[in-house]
Amino acid sequence: MSSPHVGVLALQGDTREHLAALREAGAEASTVRRVEELEAVDALVIPGGESTAMSHLLREFELLEPLRSRLAEGMPAYGSCAGMILLATEILDAGAAGREATPLKAIDMTVRRNAFGRQVDSFEGDIAFGGLDGPVHAVFIRAPWVERVGPDVEVLGEADGHIVAVRQGKVLATSFHPEVTGDRRVHKLFVDSL
């Protein structure tokens, strides 16, 4: 059986780290910047970055509606930090008018942007993660948290009493950045689900 082909949305954010983590987890990985590249992948990772800038670039590159369509059709996806925000059905504190983060509506959840605070409030810690043996070292950088989940959403992890990792079907999201720690278990969990 061939390896799944996973794209990493490469408009803004930590693309290179996700590409490396996916390859180490057994996937074929490539960048996605155009509709043809999106159509060529089996699954997509939406990296961390700045959710309002990523939303703007999705519109500029004419990827927003094609990406929403692929997700609605069941394309598996994984979003970290800003990627979690974009995968939500509802975004609180979405940004200034005309520059809002745009929900892709792939996971039935409400997410609050920058919930843990500003850049200076970024932190690291170990959290229990459903489906994995042992805790995950989580790096939170201007991280969101999940305020509400729908009935089909599985909560996989919490930090300081807030939901920070979820899965609905084949769509996974974390408010932290596992791609920067060297621990490939979250990426492996995603790749193995494909």
Side-chain angles (χ1 to χ4, degrees):
M1 186 174 101
S2 64
S3 300
H5 183 184
V6 182
V8 177
L9 189 64
L11 303 178
Q12 193 251 351
D14 48 355
T15 305
R16 182 181 34 191
E17 293 86 350
H18 277 292
L19 289 168
L22 288 164
R23 289 175 182 139
E24 288 176 36
E28 177 187 337
S30 62
T31 57
V32 170
R33 292 184 187 90
R34 294 188 291 278
V35 173
E36 313 83 69
E37 294 167 337
L38 176 63
E39 291 170 350
V41 299
D42 301 315
L44 185 71
V45 169
I46 304 173
E50 211 292 309
S51 57
T52 58
M54 291 173 80
S55 294
H56 173 74
L57 291 168
L58 280 168
R59 287 187 289 275
E60 286 293 310
F61 282 74
E62 298 180 352
L63 277 169
L64 182 61
E65 291 312 319
L67 177 51
R68 273 192 177 147
S69 294
R70 287 285 317 268
L71 290 167
E73 292 164 4
M75 178 181 68
Y78 165 51
S80 66
C81 199
M84 171 186 256
I85 294 166
L86 295 179
L87 288 171
T89 50
E90 181 184 19
I91 302 168
L92 302 177
D93 301 324
R99 293 281 299 168
E100 302 98 340
T102 305
L104 296 169
K105 302 183 179 186
I107 298 178
D108 182 10
M109 64 180 172
T110 301
V111 174
R112 182 173 299 279
R113 290 176 68 237
N114 303 327
F116 284 105
R118 304 177 70 87
Q119 191 79 20
V120 296
D121 300 310
S122 299
F123 66 99
E124 300 180 27
D126 292 340
I127 65 165
F129 195 101
L132 298 180
D133 292 333
V136 170
H137 188 71
V139 177
F140 296 88
I141 305 168
R142 287 180 47 211
W145 67 47
V146 178
E147 294 212 349
R148 177 202 62 83
V149 294
D152 297 327
V153 178
E154 178 185 5
V155 174
L156 298 174
E158 296 185 17
D160 296 335
H162 299 286
I163 299 169
V164 296
V166 296
R167 175 173 48 201
Q168 183 174 356
K170 290 192 179 241
V171 183
L172 176 68
T174 61
S175 65
F176 55 90
H177 295 266
E179 72 280 4
V180 301
T181 67
D183 183 342
R184 302 308 188 212
R185 290 178 298 155
V186 173
H187 288 82
K188 182 84 171 127
L189 182 73
F190 177 61
V191 169
D192 288 350
S193 76
L194 303 177

